[in-house]
Amino acid sequence: MPGIEKLPIEETLEDSPQTRSLLGVFEEDTAAISNYCTQLYQAMQRIYDAQNELSAATHLTSRLLKEYDKQRFPLGGDDEVMSSTLQQFAKVIDELSSCHAVLSTQLADAMMFPITQFKERDLKVLRTCFLYADHDTAINRYSRLSKRRDNDKVMTLAVEDVYTSRKKQHQTMMHYFCSLNTLQYKKKTALLEPLLGYMQAQISFFKLGSENLTQQWEDFLGTIGTSVQNVRREMEEEVGQMQQTIQDMERSCDPLYAPCDPDPAHSPVCRNLTRKQGYLYIRSKTGLVSTSWERQYFFTQGGNLMQQGRGEVAGGLVTDLDNCSVMAVDSDDRRFCFQVTSFDEVRVLLRSLELAARVNQSALEAVTPSPSFQQRHESMRPSSKGRVGRASSISSVGSEPSPALSVLSLDALVAPETPIQFDIISPVSEENSAQSKTAAQSGRRSNPFGESGDGTSEDTEDSILHQLFIVRFLGSMEVKTAESADVISETMRQILAARAIHNIFRMTESHLLVTCDCLKLIDPQTQVTRLRFPLSTVLQCSSHQDNKRLFGFVLQPAGGRGDSRLVCYIFESNNDGEKICDSIGLAKQIAFHSEMDRKADEKKKEQDKAKEKQQEELSKQRQIEKDLEEQSRLIAASSRPANPPGSDGQFLVLSNSQSEDSDAGEEGKKKGESEA
């Protein structure tokens, strides 16, 4: 290496301008070294961070390769060759990860530590410009001293100040020159040591890699490379075949893209197919009279018609085609329709004809509307005029009988010989006459829409629960019990069966208002209350098991608990029937708590009245005691000797009024004693 420039330490005391100029050159060199060293430190720090990241990423890759066997792939999960190959790679990469970890440690010790020490310790050299100012100030003060002898003390202080400042400056300058001279040597070692450590760490890493990657691993990697090339060639061949298949299918299937009927000349019908599959639209009932079409996948298998929904792995049996007939039918809203009819359903229908004939006459009598709501309830009582048959064999409701119905007979749930009411007859006609009489007597106008003018509406407005539902009345009939959970479903089955037999599709639409006091059926056009059911009369409410839009409730007429008649009303709603039942249950709970609060208030009022009455009795007793004391005092006064002589020799004469008062006092005393 060439000679290293140095600052002359022996010239620090003279502090000549040449020395100061040379010192400025060394300080500029120190600043340049500091700037360059900072940039080099940042570059080496990036190398160290990258090595740490590479070590962590290699370790993560090895761990993921080891966990390949634990993955659950839907396709190709049992490939043992792939699994064993990845395990071999995981082993090699794990060893490389260890080598990278060793390399990171060596870089930290041999590369980052020397340059960090040089940057943080050696480059922080203090400047001495402030020492020049202290020394110049002391010399200036000493030169301005007076020559008189009375200033000896001041002279001594000035000389001592000059001595101290010059000594301090000299010592500091010598150490500063020494540090700058030493820095000229350290800047060479500080730059070479990190590079030397970096290269030694890399050489050590490569040696570890060469020891781990033996000839056996090289052969293994060559075999894997050959397998990858073979798989790539197979993929290219398969892609070529699939592209050719796509082109052929596009040319052959082009006529099938059109929705119109294919030309029999170009695409003749094949009648030798043993399997047929595709999407069809199937019609299903959504209500009593409404239907909807749903697109589903159908296929034939072994003489059976199968159906498979979206997301299902296998299909389900729809019907046996060997026992079915297929015919083309016309539909108003669909083209190319055909109907599949099962022979078993025809036999069931024939067996049901006799039962339907018996039900026909009784259902005709049941649909005859009664003149008023009161007469309708009267007609629900058992009579010998007609009998409603039970059409339980007709699956109009769409659910099987519950296990409870298999034990209990149908007669135990629904009263026999009970007519079915299919329409709502509002008691407006009967109330109009009573309202007209009341209005004539009171001088008020009658409501032409049949609404009553009592405080029921005000009570309804004060209710904390108001929920309105759109419902359609299906029918009502008398039942025998409300304890069974199947009484409503059985009533639904009989009412729907009677409607289906007699082709009764008209339903009265109403608004069902649920409050904390009652249930109201309101006409949506005129807002007239058709029926009103107090919540205390509603005994049970439930929806259908399969068709959630059907619901009903059992109530006891408002005649009182002594009246054992129970009536079941069936409705169809636009939304879920369970929500309506939950709303009714909530209303009953609120009504129950309100009733409990009302009873508690009444009890409190009774207790307050009893306390007031007790206070009144106590006040009366005190008054009687006062009267008795007054009477006793008067009696004592009257029992003294008559006309005692006065002090002046005169006599006291009692008047007649005083004697009468004494007699009255005795009588009052006797009366008070008798009352006490």
Side-chain angles (χ1 to χ4, degrees), residues 633-644 652 654:
R633 186 178 61 81
L634 295 175
I635 293 173
S638 62
S639 61
R640 293 175 183 175
N643 299 327
L652 178 63
L654 295 176

Side-chain angles (χ1 to χ4, degrees), residues 130 156 238 361 396 525:
F130 62 93
T156 304
E238 184 66 24
Q361 183 63 30
S396 300
Q525 300 295 331

Side-chain angles (χ1 to χ4, degrees), residues 152 271 316 322 417 475 654:
D152 292 340
R271 302 183 182 278
D322 295 335
E417 300 178 359
L654 295 176

Side-chain angles (χ1 to χ4, degrees), residues 132-147:
Y132 295 145
D134 295 342
H135 181 261
D136 294 342
T137 302
I139 292 296
N140 189 17
R141 187 183 301 111
Y142 176 76
S143 62
R144 289 185 299 175
L145 290 176
S146 176
K147 296 180 180 181

Side-chain angles (χ1 to χ4, degrees), residues 187-397:
K187 72 178 182 180
K188 298 181 182 298
T189 59
L191 296 178
L192 295 177
E193 285 182 357
L195 298 178
L196 181 61
Y198 173 75
M199 296 305 299
Q200 289 178 352
Q202 293 292 340
I203 292 172
S204 177
F205 173 73
F206 292 145
K207 287 182 179 180
L208 289 175
S210 62
E211 292 175 359
N212 293 329
L213 298 176
T214 59
Q215 184 65 33
Q216 180 181 0
W217 286 111
E218 293 181 1
D219 297 340
F220 172 73
L221 295 177
T223 304
I224 297 300
T226 304
S227 301
V228 171
Q229 294 297 329
N230 294 333
V231 173
R232 188 179 297 277
R233 283 194 297 269
E234 292 179 2
M235 180 187 67
E236 293 176 355
E237 294 176 359
E238 184 66 24
V239 169
Q241 294 178 1
M242 289 188 294
Q243 293 292 339
Q244 184 63 34
T245 303
I246 290 173
Q247 294 177 4
D248 296 340
M249 292 188 67
E250 287 179 351
R251 288 192 297 268
S252 61
C253 297
D254 186 75
L256 300 179
Y257 296 151
C260 58
D261 297 337
D263 189 1
H266 295 85
S267 56
V269 178
C270 182
R271 302 183 182 278
N272 297 325
L273 294 176
T274 59
R275 181 180 174 86
K276 186 71 174 177
Q277 66 274 349
Y279 284 94
L280 296 174
Y281 284 92
I282 182 172
R283 184 169 63 180
S284 59
K285 294 184 65 177
T286 58
L288 294 176
V289 296
S290 58
T291 59
S292 63
W293 294 87
E294 183 180 2
R295 188 170 183 264
Q296 296 182 3
Y297 184 79
F298 292 88
F299 62 93
T300 59
Q301 183 178 5
N304 296 326
L305 180 62
M306 311 293 289
Q307 175 186 355
Q308 184 175 357
R310 295 182 182 272
E312 296 181 358
V313 180
L317 177 64
V318 178
T319 185
D320 185 6
L321 294 177
D322 295 335
N323 296 327
C324 294
S325 63
V326 181
M327 63 179 66
V329 295
D330 294 332
S331 179
D332 297 336
D333 54 349
R334 286 294 186 275
R335 302 177 63 191
F336 315 118
C337 295
F338 62 92
Q339 181 178 353
V340 179
T341 305
S342 175
F343 296 147
D344 295 336
E345 295 179 359
V346 175
R347 285 194 292 268
V348 171
L349 182 60
L350 291 176
R351 287 196 298 268
S352 302
L353 288 178
E354 183 179 357
L355 178 60
R358 293 198 305 266
V359 174
N360 188 10
Q361 183 63 30
S362 59
L364 284 176
E365 297 177 0
V367 298
T368 303
S370 57
S372 66
F373 185 78
Q374 182 66 24
Q375 294 178 6
R376 176 168 65 86
H377 281 286
E378 294 294 336
S379 63
M380 286 184 179
R381 296 178 179 177
S383 61
S384 59
K385 292 182 179 181
R387 181 182 181 86
V388 179
R390 288 162 180 77
S392 60
S393 61
I394 300 176
S395 59
S396 300
V397 180

